[in-house]
């Protein structure tokens, strides 16, 4: 039973399209994150939500909008996709407090043509 | 998907002590990344290792990748309270295709 699941695993789309990536966690965690993995494989945080509220919002174009309908879900919607948005996006969750171990989804590889 | 084994899972040390965290895989690693997560924050990139036997240092933190490229160690010298956090390794496990996995994490506390 997957703890953090992301869909789709692969996403190929044309420039200018709008797309969404979904993330769900069944761990009961109250914090969820979106990370972007750049071409050098470094992970950079984009957003963090705690109990459906935005707590971290790094310098990300406003074409990226996270949506958290409940604390088990954090979806990433991207408008007007650009070539530079091509990357792997990882969702993660953790429980704030003493043991904040991050649990990651398997990633979504986005290719913008 | 967490397929890299990290040990120990948690560690409590007295300030000033040295410590080592290990990250082990059954597969060849094509790139090994160490991150640190401070409580309530995102991941901070520490170091990347790619070649067998490679060693890198940054301030008091040294990371090594073994010759077989299946194990990495992170060593902290003279630990300080600012070193506290969760250390996570991440790695490429496939050459030429996309497959990036994460370690199980090590929680470090440094007592003043």
């Amino acid at each position: 039973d997957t703890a953090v699941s992301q869909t789709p695993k692969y996403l190929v789309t044309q420039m200018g399209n709008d797309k969404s990536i979904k993330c769900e966690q069944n761990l009961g965690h109250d914090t969820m994150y979106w990370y972007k993995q750049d071409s050098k494989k470094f992970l950079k945080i984009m957003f963090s939500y705690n109990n459906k509220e935005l707590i971290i919002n790094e310098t990300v174009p406003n074409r990226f909008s996270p949506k958290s309908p409940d604390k088990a879900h954090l979806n990433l919607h991207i408008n007007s996709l650009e070539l530079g948005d091509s990357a792997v996006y990882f969702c993660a969750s953790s429980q704030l407090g003493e043991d904040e171990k991050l649990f990651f989804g398997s990633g979504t590889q986005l290719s913008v043509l | 998907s967490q397929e890299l084994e990290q040990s120990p899972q948690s560690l409590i040390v007295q300030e000033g002590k040295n410590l080592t965290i290990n990250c082990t895989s059954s597969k060849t690693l094509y790139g090994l990344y160490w991150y640190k997560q401070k409580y309530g924050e995102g991941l901070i990139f520490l170091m990347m290792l790619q070649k067998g036997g490679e060693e890198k240092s940054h301030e008091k933190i040294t990371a090594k990748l073994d010759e077989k490229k299946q194990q990495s160690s992170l060593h902290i010298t003279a630990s300080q309270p600012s070193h506290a956090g969760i250390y996570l390794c991440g790695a490429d496990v496939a050459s030429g295709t996309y497959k990036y996995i994460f370690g199980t994490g090590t929680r470090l506390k440094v007592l003043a």
Side-chain angles (χ1 to χ4, degrees):
Chain A
D1 196 17
T2 306
V4 182
S5 58
Q6 285 179 240
T7 53
K9 193 168 172 60
Y10 299 96
L11 184 53
V12 181
T13 189
Q14 297 287 331
M15 220 164 45
N17 283 350
D18 302 339
K19 289 292 177 187
S20 292
I21 306 172
K22 294 185 176 180
C23 180
E24 177 182 3
Q25 53 97 1
N26 62 8
L27 298 165
H29 288 164
D30 55 18
T31 306
M32 294 184 73
Y33 309 79
W34 275 108
Y35 286 88
K36 181 179 179 180
Q37 186 181 41
D38 65 18
S39 57
K40 293 182 180 176
K41 304 295 177 71
F42 301 162
L43 283 173
K44 294 179 184 175
I45 191 165
M46 299 173 70
F47 301 102
S48 170
Y49 267 72
N50 178 257
N51 278 323
K52 303 194 298 173
E53 288 190 23
L54 183 65
I55 55 171
I56 295 176
N57 183 358
E58 292 298 300
T59 308
V60 174
N62 57 15
R63 297 181 295 103
F64 288 79
S65 53
K67 295 228 177 350
S68 182
D70 54 60
K71 74 173 196 178
H73 295 83
L74 182 62
N75 303 323
L76 184 65
H77 189 75
I78 315 169
N79 287 331
S80 303
L81 278 156
E82 299 177 359
L83 294 176
D85 296 333
S86 296
V88 180
Y89 293 84
F90 284 97
C91 174
S93 74
S94 70
Q95 182 70 22
L96 282 184
E98 279 295 304
D99 187 4
E100 287 193 34
K101 189 190 293 189
L102 278 168
F103 289 78
F104 284 90
S106 54
T108 295
Q109 190 165 18
L110 172 64
S111 297
V112 183
L113 307 176
Chain B
S1 55
Q2 289 168 301
E3 301 172 33
L4 291 172
E5 284 296 319
Q6 276 185 244
S7 62
Q9 282 193 339
S10 64
L11 196 50
I12 302 173
V13 298
Q14 204 65 42
E15 184 177 0
K17 295 292 184 188
N18 301 337
L19 64 106
T20 300
I21 299 168
N22 293 305
C23 177
T24 304
S25 171
S26 56
K27 303 175 185 177
T28 300
L29 304 172
Y30 291 91
L32 189 288
Y33 302 74
W34 280 103
Y35 300 90
K36 178 186 173 186
Q37 181 194 1
K38 286 187 179 177
Y39 297 126
E41 300 180 21
L43 290 180
I44 301 164
F45 169 75
L46 295 175
M47 272 173 277
M48 178 183 75
L49 304 163
Q50 284 188 303
K51 298 176 187 171
E54 188 176 5
E55 182 174 316
K56 285 187 178 175
S57 291
H58 176 68
E59 296 178 348
K60 292 185 178 178
I61 302 176
T62 301
K64 260 187 184 178
L65 182 61
D66 74 345
E67 290 290 344
K68 282 188 182 177
K69 299 203 297 181
Q70 287 185 300
Q71 182 172 356
S72 178
S73 58
L74 185 84
H75 185 79
I76 299 176
T77 305
S79 57
Q80 298 167 355
S82 61
H83 288 127
I86 297 176
Y87 289 82
L88 188 73
C89 58
D92 277 320
V93 292
S95 176
T97 57
Y98 158 63
K99 176 73 173 168
Y100 195 88
I101 59 176
F102 297 95
T104 44
T106 297
R107 180 160 57 90
L108 172 64
K109 274 189 181 174
V110 181
L111 304 175

